[in-house]
Amino acid sequence: GKKPDEIPAQDYDLVTDPTRELTRRAAAAARTIASQAPVVMFLDTGEVIGERAWRWLLRAMTLTGPRMAWVVGARFETEAEAGVDSTVARFVREIGDEHLTLMSPTRFDDPMIRSYLESRPGAPTYTNAQIDLIAQFTKALPLAVSFTSTILGEGQPVEEVCREVDDGFPSGIVSRLARRYLVHAERQHEQQAYPADDPRRDDVTKILGLALAFTDLRGDPDLLAALWNVEDPLAAFQDLARRHDFVLSASRRLHDDVRDTLRTDLRDPYRRARAREINQRALTLLSNRLGQMRRRWPALDEQLTHTEFATALLAVLWHTLWADNQAGLDLLIQILPVLAIADPLTAATAAAMMGQF
């Protein structure tokens, strides 16, 4: 018979290889459900899923059987751009062409552009020539059309918004529109164009706050509240995301091209001053948080065994650099020798961060 402390045979794999066995059991449960009725599983914003989790998901996908279809939405590289170890390459290698269909979102055609622009409250009717000009200017990219719609909604004429048509790459087109939107929105803010109770009044401040964020805001409402100086950051985020398609509600962040453009512009000394208060609120919160961790874990080796300590330390360095380059350099010089020995990966990240400034 089985001894009192002996592991049941069916649970042995659960103890020796829990990740693999839990994935297998989850897939078996899904397969059982699908045997009763076909199932479609949707995953959105897949680019925020980590590499390790994707390995589990890919294995689950191969085990759930033919009566369960998986639909994944994500901002991955194209198959041609992807490297051999990329998520797209693993899909192709592990799922196989027979069971995998790769789809890239299409650009807007003229009727879709017209429908999108004219669906906005109070939007005018556009002529065919204006729609054609917008299509040429935006290259019919959905996010670029969204930016254009936002600027048009502020009263600028089509011909003014859509000047300087060129053959740039999609990321360049989005970046140029993001920069133009920021300039326009800052001008509106300086002129106090919105009434005091208009929610759009603080949009620029909130967008800059998202651009400055270093850590994942999905699990850190306190940091988002500090960046924005609001009491209910979730409600404020949902409100902002309703007005701007480049504000991604599921992942609590900006579209990558928009974020990178705003960070580049904020390195200009005159623009950096615009974000000084936002940055200082975040720095105060993160410095206090780091201090609490140091009191909780007084020994250095204990501190470096906790991922949240390294993350907080890097976040403090990031916001210190935004506050003052020299102060950031002084902090880097202070922590780098220790990190280089005790935590080389964090040390490399900290050194690379300095290179951005």
Side-chain angles (χ1 to χ4, degrees):
K2 183 173 72 67
K3 297 178 180 178
D5 295 331
E6 185 178 348
I7 300 171
Q10 66 269 25
D11 291 337
Y12 184 77
D13 287 342
L14 191 60
V15 174
T16 58
D17 193 353
T19 298
R20 186 177 181 84
E21 180 61 12
L22 283 172
T23 303
R24 187 195 67 76
R25 292 188 181 199
R31 188 166 185 148
T32 300
I33 295 171
S35 69
Q36 306 299 316
V39 174
V40 179
M41 179 71 74
F42 289 92
L43 297 176
D44 197 9
T45 324
E47 68 271 14
V48 303
I49 299 175
E51 183 179 341
R52 181 181 301 177
W54 268 122
R55 288 199 295 268
W56 303 338
L57 283 168
L58 281 167
R59 183 163 187 266
M61 290 175 186
T62 63
L63 296 174
T64 47
R67 290 175 61 83
M68 186 166 183
W70 294 75
V71 181
V72 177
R75 294 184 70 247
F76 295 139
E77 313 109 302
T78 65
E79 190 176 5
E81 297 170 335
V84 293
D85 293 326
S86 69
T87 304
V88 172
R90 284 197 298 273
F91 266 101
V92 174
R93 188 170 60 248
E94 298 180 27
I95 304 294
D97 290 339
E98 183 181 354
H99 302 290
L100 177 68
T101 301
L102 297 175
M103 297 180 291
S104 297
T106 59
R107 302 188 184 207
F108 284 176
D109 57 23
D110 284 7
M112 292 171 70
I113 293 175
R114 181 185 297 279
S115 176
Y116 182 88
L117 294 175
E118 295 183 356
S119 67
R120 297 294 181 97
T125 299
Y126 296 97
T127 66
N128 290 338
Q130 288 175 322
I131 294 294
D132 184 60
L133 182 58
I134 293 169
Q136 291 182 50
F137 176 69
T138 62
K139 301 297 185 290
L141 297 167
L143 184 56
V145 174
S146 172
F147 262 123
T148 302
S149 176
T150 299
I151 300 172
L152 289 172
E154 301 294 342
Q156 291 197 37
V158 172
E159 294 71 20
E160 174 66 21
V161 173
C162 298
R163 66 180 189 272
E164 302 173 5
V165 175
D166 61 32
D167 296 322
F169 293 104
S171 59
I173 294 166
V174 170
S175 297
R176 186 172 67 249
L177 276 164
R179 188 169 287 111
R180 185 173 296 179
Y181 166 77
L182 179 63
V183 171
H184 173 74
E186 285 179 334
R187 188 179 302 123
Q188 293 287 94
H189 182 86
E190 291 167 0
Q191 295 173 353
Q192 298 183 338
Y194 301 120
D197 58 349
D198 192 317
R200 296 174 297 173
R201 186 182 181 92
D202 295 324
D203 278 7
V204 175
T205 300
K206 291 173 180 173
I207 290 167
L208 293 180
L210 290 177
L212 284 175
F214 174 74
T215 55
D216 188 345
L217 292 171
R218 286 175 297 172
D220 199 344
D222 291 338
L223 179 55
L224 183 58
L227 287 164
W228 286 0
N229 196 28
V230 297
E231 295 182 359
D232 189 347
L234 178 58
F237 196 99
Q238 291 172 337
D239 183 56
L240 185 70
R242 276 194 294 270
R243 287 193 295 278
H244 302 286
D245 292 336
F246 57 86
V247 177
L248 309 179
S249 56
S251 50
R252 303 281 193 273
R253 62 187 179 89
L254 296 179
H255 183 286
D256 290 347
D257 292 335
V258 176
R259 179 204 62 201
D260 294 345
T261 298
L262 296 183
R263 284 181 177 178
T264 298
D265 281 4
L266 283 171
R267 291 189 185 100
D268 178 280
Y270 294 97
R271 283 232 168 87
R272 191 182 293 197
R274 179 82 170 79
R276 185 168 291 127
E277 290 184 10
I278 304 170
N279 186 69
Q280 186 56 52
R281 288 194 298 266
L283 181 56
T284 299
L285 173 74
L286 292 165
S287 297
N288 290 338
R289 187 178 291 176
L290 190 64
Q292 291 170 1
M293 291 180 186
R294 281 174 167 153
R295 289 189 291 274
R296 189 187 317 157
W297 306 309
L300 179 62
D301 57 347
E302 189 179 12
Q303 294 169 359
L304 295 176
T305 60
H306 293 84
T307 304
E308 58 264 44
F309 180 85
T311 301
L313 182 61
L314 289 172
V316 167
L317 175 61
W318 172 260
H319 287 285
T320 301
L321 283 164
W322 278 108
D324 181 80
N325 286 4
Q326 185 59 51
L329 178 59
D330 292 343
L331 177 58
L332 180 66
I333 292 171
Q334 178 184 346
I335 65 176
L336 193 59
V338 176
L339 288 178
I341 298 172
D343 190 350
L345 181 59
T346 300
T349 303
M353 190 184 295
M354 189 70 213
Q356 299 183 44
F357 294 85

